[in-house]
């Protein structure tokens, strides 16, 4: 079948899994993610990656990936700033999680796919003529952050 965005179901990484996921499970995943990512620094990348990768043995990988992406977007893609210091740390930690978890967790692919889609949406919005002056700086910073995620 086709999804609402016109793509086949296999490539629809934006499928809404929140309706299938137990809200308590999602809350537990978010708490664990926040506890680990709040300690993220250059010196703790390895331990944070190990901590995050251990979540994959406890919860469904798609729920964890969705929560990781939500957390990453909130932390690394604010509308008011380019996060050139934080994004490399996040991407390094997520790369470690992907490496430790193997291809089965699909985290690296999800982050790249979601970042490229968000970057595209940001660019499309920035090019619309309505309210161009107010939106342009916001979209450029969001787009820059998404681009940094893809590049790192």
């Amino acid at each position: 079948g086709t999804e609402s965005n016109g793509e086949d179901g296999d490539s629809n990484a934006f499928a809404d899994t929140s309706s299938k996921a137990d809200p308590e499970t999602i809350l537990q995943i978010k708490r664990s993610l926040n506890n680990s990512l709040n300690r993220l620094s250059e010196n703790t990348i390895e331990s944070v990656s190990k901590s995050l990768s251990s979540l994959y043995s406890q919860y469904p990988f798609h729920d964890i990936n969705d929560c990781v992406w939500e957390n990453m977007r909130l932390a690394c893609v604010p509308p008011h700033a380019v996060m050139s210091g934080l994004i490399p740390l996040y991407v390094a930690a997520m790369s470690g999680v992907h490496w430790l978890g193997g291809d089965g967790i699909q985290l690296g692919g999800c982050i790249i796919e979601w970042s490229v889609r968000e970057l595209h949406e940001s660019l499309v919005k920035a090019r619309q003529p309505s309210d161009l002056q107010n939106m342009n700086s916001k979209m450029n910073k969001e787009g820059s952050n998404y681009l940094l995620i893809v590049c790192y």
Side-chain angles (χ1 to χ4, degrees):
T2 59
E3 302 294 329
S4 60
N5 63 3
E7 296 182 6
D8 64 302
D10 291 338
S11 66
N12 186 8
F14 282 122
D16 181 18
T17 56
S18 60
S19 61
K20 301 173 194 167
D22 174 37
E24 186 60 34
T25 299
I26 298 299
L27 188 59
Q28 290 171 351
I29 293 169
K30 286 181 179 182
R31 283 185 184 143
S32 297
L33 281 173
N34 287 335
N35 287 341
S36 294
L37 290 170
N38 282 342
R39 326 181 269 114
L40 186 60
S41 70
E42 285 187 33
N43 296 329
T44 62
I45 290 172
E46 185 177 357
S47 65
V48 168
S49 294
K50 288 178 181 176
S51 175
L52 294 178
S53 69
S54 72
L55 294 175
Y56 286 91
S57 64
Q58 302 170 36
Y59 303 104
F61 75 90
H62 56 83
D63 292 343
I64 299 169
N65 289 352
D66 289 346
C67 290
V68 164
W69 178 243
E70 180 182 346
N71 186 298
M72 195 169 189
R73 272 191 14 242
L74 291 172
C76 297
V77 191
H80 60 277
V82 175
M83 304 301 285
S84 57
L86 186 59
I87 289 173
L89 294 174
Y90 259 77
V91 172
M94 297 313 144
S95 297
V97 172
H98 180 84
W99 185 79
L100 290 166
D103 290 337
I105 65 170
Q106 303 173 359
L107 180 62
C110 287
I111 289 174
I112 291 171
E113 180 179 352
W114 292 336
S115 297
V116 169
R117 285 186 182 193
E118 293 289 337
L119 173 60
H120 180 260
E121 288 179 24
S122 175
L123 292 172
V124 167
K125 288 178 188 174
R127 292 178 179 162
Q128 291 177 354
S130 63
D131 203 20
L132 204 60
Q133 288 185 339
N134 290 337
M135 296 299 285
N136 244 349
S137 67
K138 176 184 173 190
M139 292 304 152
N140 286 340
K141 290 179 182 172
E142 286 178 354
S144 295
N145 287 324
Y146 287 122
L147 185 59
L148 283 172
I149 292 170
V150 171
C151 289
Y152 278 106

